């Protein structure tokens, strides 16, 4: 396996499986054909034809759209069509920070192929001239990617919270990072990918942060989502990313970006420029 | 002006002005229509038709191709069609580090729209919690971009030298950096752009390095290409990049990449994701 394989695994989108999802005349996502067929049962909320799924024209504002879709989604969750309900609302907007046209339950975001945003925090420790990375092991009871390795702290970006405030909240819950320390996280870019998974489409963008941690800081999970933490030399993390499928897929991208920015993955790597291009799709 | 304007200035490529340049059945670049017409005068070297410019099929190896094209180029330089002859040879290859199909004089590379590679070194100094960047002012007698601001060290990547060896050579010539110090430069990624200039096409990729310099290091130019150096706080460099056209255009991209990687340009910038995408085209 190679770094490019890790990138390819997050970029397996097949446009033939989807049709556009349109809100207020704008394409906001993609719906797979099978899910589109299910939405035909709700003609007061969705106009479904062979070419697209549009939110009904009578739904003209944020509140009406969000309420009508929420009712449909709760019904589909009751039927088991939507799994892993989170009770967390994500914006549907034309770009990060733009005024949202509506909000939807997080678990349904991939079913509408709406771009989601999130944060990934690489937590690292300087040990003389060496760098070590804190790595998490996801709980075996987590609905998504149970038991897999994870970056230090990460989280989806719900509606109505600033990026840094969300980072501070996630860092507190996932790793017991004091707010003042979490706020030292430094934004260093973003990765993006186009992934098909469980019948959905995830055209996601994750803002990447680096957080240098004191040598005596020991993360401790407080929300039950991470069962263990490991402090590994960057070289060991690189080998694990490259040679195993142990990390949650999109975490590989945030880690590869770290390896590049810190000079561990160098232009001597024959795929260097392809890897770079692959991190932002 | 904005950071996006600086990126747009390096990405003004208009495909309508060009036709493919083909070597051994593979497209290796683009030739503008006026230059293609000039190449019709050399039918033993170039097959020119309305759709493309191909290197003559009889030229079947590196040496023959390079020699035949060199003869044409020397003639065109004598007529003033090719300006700023450098006596430096660049590879024509299907990717960085791939076996080159031929080599051509650097001054002619944009006329064939062949991808060129180079290195940019951001030289910075830590001053307590602040960062400062060393900035060069190009000599007023330089053929390209005279008098403009420049990154600490930069240079095109000629044939037959490793990336780090070229960096060490350029750092010595441009800024009198001792080799041992230059070798501490850390690869941190690459920027790329697609620029039309002087009738040519530059689909270039520049490998970016960061080099932390001791506070007592003072650069001194040894090859006459840089007339002055300034040590500026990063914030001042950011303002200069954003608000003025004082930097050589592609230097803006390497500096914007630095601002992002070091957390000076943050997701609070409304164009953040567009800027990120714009740095690698």
């Amino acid at each position: 396996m190679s770094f490019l394989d890790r990138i390819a695994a997050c970029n397996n989108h097949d446009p033939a499986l989807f049709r556009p999802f349109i809100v207020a005349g704008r394409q906001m996502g993609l719906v797979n054909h099978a899910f589109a067929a299910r939405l035909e049962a709700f003609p007061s909320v969705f106009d479904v034809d062979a070419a697209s799924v549009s939110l009904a024209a009578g739904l003209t504002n944020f509140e009406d759209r969000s309420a009508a879709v929420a009712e449909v989604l709760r019904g589909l969750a009751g039927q088991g069509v939507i799994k892993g309900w989170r009770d967390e609302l994500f914006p549907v907007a034309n770009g990060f920070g733009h005024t949202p046209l509506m909000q939807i339950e997080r678990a349904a975001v991939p079913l509408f192929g709406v771009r989601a945003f999130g944060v990934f925090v690489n937590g690292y420790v300087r040990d003389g001239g060496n760098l070590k990375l804190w790595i998490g092991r996801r709980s075996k009871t987590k609905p998504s990617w149970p038991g897999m390795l994870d970056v230090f702290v990460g989280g989806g970006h719900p509606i109505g919270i600033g990026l840094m405030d969300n980072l501070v909240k996630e860092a507190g819950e996932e790793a017991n990072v004091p707010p003042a320390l979490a706020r030292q996280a430094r934004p260093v870019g973003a990765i993006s990918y186009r992934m098909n998974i469980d019948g959905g489409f995830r055209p996601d963008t994750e803002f990447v942060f680096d957080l240098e941690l004191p040598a005596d800081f020991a993360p401790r999970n407080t929300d039950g989502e991470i069962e263990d933490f490991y402090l590994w030399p960057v070289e060991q993390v690189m080998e694990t990313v490259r040679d195993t499928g142990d990390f949650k897929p999109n975490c590989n991208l945030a880690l590869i970006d770290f390896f590049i920015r810190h000079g561990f993955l160098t232009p001597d790597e024959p795929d260097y420029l392809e890897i770079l291009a692959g991190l932002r799709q």
Side-chain angles (χ1 to χ4, degrees), chain A:
Chain A
M1 300 297 288
S2 72
F3 294 117
L4 281 180
D5 292 324
R6 302 299 165 213
I7 292 170
C10 293
N11 289 281
N12 62 345
H13 175 53
D14 178 357
L17 305 178
F18 296 85
R19 65 189 82 172
F21 170 54
I22 292 166
V23 181
R26 284 180 167 176
Q27 184 178 345
M28 302 308 294
L30 287 174
V31 174
N32 88 29
H33 302 312
F35 189 61
R38 285 193 180 271
L39 296 178
E40 287 176 9
F42 309 95
S44 63
V45 182
F46 295 102
D47 287 334
V48 179
D49 63 32
S52 65
V53 173
S54 298
L55 209 60
L59 300 167
T60 57
N61 61 55
F62 179 90
E63 285 75 19
D64 290 352
R65 292 177 192 126
S66 303
V69 171
E71 194 183 331
V72 170
L73 297 182
R74 274 191 297 265
L76 292 173
Q79 297 167 33
V81 176
I82 298 174
K83 295 184 179 71
W85 194 271
R86 307 282 285 256
D87 258 332
E88 203 176 344
L89 291 162
F90 271 36
V92 178
N94 211 30
F96 184 75
H98 291 217
T99 306
L101 297 174
M102 58 185 291
Q103 60 186 0
I104 61 175
E105 155 62 26
R106 178 174 182 170
V109 169
L111 289 170
F112 291 93
V114 164
R115 179 176 299 271
F117 296 88
V119 294
F120 273 136
V121 183
N122 298 301
Y124 69 96
V125 176
R126 285 187 199 280
D127 178 10
N130 300 316
L131 283 192
K132 293 181 173 175
L133 278 163
W134 278 107
I135 297 300
R137 165 90 60 194
R138 295 165 72 84
S139 161
K140 292 188 184 64
T141 62
K142 234 178 127 75
S144 61
W145 315 107
M148 299 195 85
L149 296 177
D150 206 328
V151 295
F152 176 58
V153 165
H157 193 74
I159 198 164
I161 187 171
L163 210 50
M164 182 52 84
D165 288 340
N166 189 40
L167 185 158
V168 169
K169 174 180 157 289
E170 294 283 350
E173 291 171 2
E174 290 190 8
N176 202 29
V177 182
L181 177 56
R183 285 190 187 280
Q184 292 176 21
R186 200 178 42 171
V188 291
I191 52 115
S192 55
Y193 53 89
R194 299 164 65 79
M195 190 178 200
N196 288 166
I197 187 158
D198 296 336
F201 173 46
R202 296 186 52 176
D204 292 354
T205 296
E206 310 281 347
F207 293 94
V208 180
F209 291 74
D210 280 359
L211 175 58
E212 183 170 352
L213 295 161
D216 62 359
F217 172 80
R220 182 173 61 78
N221 180 251
T222 70
D223 64 1
E225 300 200 354
I226 299 291
E227 65 168 40
D228 213 348
F229 282 103
Y230 316 108
L231 184 61
W232 285 356
V234 173
E235 293 79 2
Q236 182 181 352
V237 183
M238 278 181 76
E239 286 172 23
T240 305
V241 166
R242 190 187 58 215
D243 300 337
T244 79
D246 292 353
F247 274 98
K248 176 169 161 269
N250 60 2
C251 293
N252 289 310
L253 307 194
L255 290 166
I256 293 169
D257 182 73
F258 184 93
F259 307 149
I260 287 174
R261 287 183 296 100
H262 289 268
F264 289 90
L265 213 167
T266 76
D268 291 335
E269 160 79 35
D271 299 327
Y272 189 74
L273 294 172
E274 263 183 288
I275 290 169
L276 267 183
L279 294 178
R280 300 181 194 159
Q281 310 223 353

